[in-house]
Amino acid sequence: MRKLLILSPLVLALALGACDDTTKPAAPGGEVKTPASPAPGPPTPEDEPSDGGAEQPASEPVPPAPGPPAQPPTPPAPSPATFNHGAPGDIPAGQGHGYLDRTVWSPAMCWPLQDDAYANSQVYGHGGGMGPAGTSQCDSVNYSLPWHDTFCEARSRDNPLCAGGGTGHQGQDIRPGTCKKNLHWAVAAESGVITDVGTYTVTLTASAAPHRTYRYLHMQMAALAVHEGDTVVDGQKLGKVSNDFGGTPTTIHLHFELRAGVAGVTTDGKPVVLHTFLPPYMSLAEAYQRKLNGGTCS
Ligand SMILES: [Zn+2]
């Protein structure tokens, strides 16, 4: 008699282990989507060999199979949208020491852009200062998945969480939906107050405890939608993603920083004190997933 091989979703997920997110348990967006397995139930006529099988002479009646009767098919529940993002801390060799921290430091924040976007390296990507020669920042590879973490990418900026001397990229770089500046809005990640507007920076301090600080870099500073001292609600437009850098322009992207409102520790036990730059990658990934799932901010 033929044996029915019934694979559970878990077995299927393991079998599909080529996904680059499989090293990371239960990461949002990293799940391997598997088709629903057929529910176990009584064998159907086409499952029975025509000769009745070795164990079951055809002349004998087939006893009723245990279990509930087969249900009519029901429409599947809408599955949540997913997107492919690389693992936190996964920075290619030669581009700095990525910092693996899975902590979702801002678990309820809004996705800080109005539209879809692509988190990846500006410096080492196409068109970047250390990127492949002769390439353009508008290359489609920069506007495609998967996301890549850029926290602790090689920089001279102070960042105590980064290995290799305590310097590195202090936030996450995110390209807007298209390679066009002054078009895509950046929005408030939390409700709060615009506590500083610099040459190419806008700082938002959340009103609710633990009063996280978010800093947005490279927006179109001449046409910001907010001023220093303004109170904003989450999801409110702040400015348009651009390449302002106080002089020589950078690539078209939003550099997004998240700083601690209170002391704590990272998943590997490193101390975090007030205003430490925190890895925003997982918070961004979860916020983006919520947006894909239809979640909205104010
Ligand atoms: Zn940056």
Side-chain angles (χ1 to χ4, degrees):
M1 179 177 181
R2 285 190 291 136
K3 296 285 191 295
L4 274 176
L5 179 61
I6 299 172
L7 293 178
S8 72
L10 175 60
V11 174
L12 275 174
L14 292 172
L16 294 171
C19 174
D20 61 357
D21 277 345
T22 52
T23 56
K24 160 168 61 68
E31 309 96 304
V32 177
K33 293 181 71 178
T34 56
S37 298
T44 56
E46 53 269 31
D47 289 321
E48 289 294 325
S50 57
D51 63 1
E55 305 88 3
Q56 183 63 59
S59 58
E60 289 189 18
V62 178
Q71 297 295 316
T74 54
S79 53
T82 59
F83 73 105
N84 185 11
H85 63 79
D90 187 10
I91 289 181
Q95 299 180 13
H97 302 279
Y99 181 52
L100 173 57
D101 175 32
R102 295 190 175 93
T103 308
V104 180
W105 291 100
S106 185
M109 76 174 201
C110 293
W111 169 239
L113 288 154
Q114 192 175 47
D115 306 317
D116 298 351
Y118 302 94
N120 55 45
S121 176
Q122 308 302 301
V123 172
Y124 295 94
H126 280 53
M130 301 288 285
T135 55
S136 164
Q137 67 166 312
C138 293
D139 192 292
S140 61
V141 73
N142 288 341
Y143 291 85
S144 57
L145 298 175
W147 277 18
H148 294 289
D149 192 355
T150 61
F151 188 77
C152 286
E153 195 177 59
R155 294 288 197 288
S156 58
R157 308 261 184 182
D158 290 340
N159 191 337
L161 291 183
C162 301
T167 61
H169 195 220
Q170 296 168 326
Q172 175 65 42
D173 289 336
I174 309 169
R175 297 181 199 269
T178 65
C179 189
K180 187 170 178 56
K181 67 178 183 179
N182 309 338
L183 175 67
H184 303 280
W185 286 100
V187 303
E190 273 195 74
S191 299
V193 176
I194 303 301
T195 46
D196 185 73
V197 175
T199 310
Y200 56 92
T201 64
V202 172
T203 303
L204 163 64
T205 302
S207 297
H211 308 296
R212 301 177 188 88
T213 299
Y214 303 90
R215 194 162 66 159
Y216 297 68
L217 275 63
H218 315 309
M219 291 191 289
Q220 183 187 15
M221 300 303 289
L224 289 178
V226 293
H227 301 91
E228 195 169 302
D230 283 358
T231 298
V232 298
V233 297
D234 59 0
Q236 183 173 332
K237 293 172 179 174
L238 304 180
K240 292 178 176 176
V241 180
S242 192
N243 58 355
D244 283 19
F245 205 7
T248 304
T250 180
T251 49
I252 301 165
H253 75 283
L254 175 69
H255 167 110
F256 181 82
E257 292 170 358
L258 168 59
R259 300 176 77 159
V262 293
V265 292
T266 63
T267 47
D268 61 354
K270 283 192 176 181
V272 165
V273 298
L274 185 65
H275 293 161
T276 297
F277 290 103
L278 298 172
Y281 189 70
M282 294 306 296
S283 301
L284 286 165
E286 291 211 350
Y288 193 61
Q289 186 67 66
R290 286 192 292 275
K291 173 183 167 61
L292 292 177
N293 291 350
T296 57
C297 292
S298 300

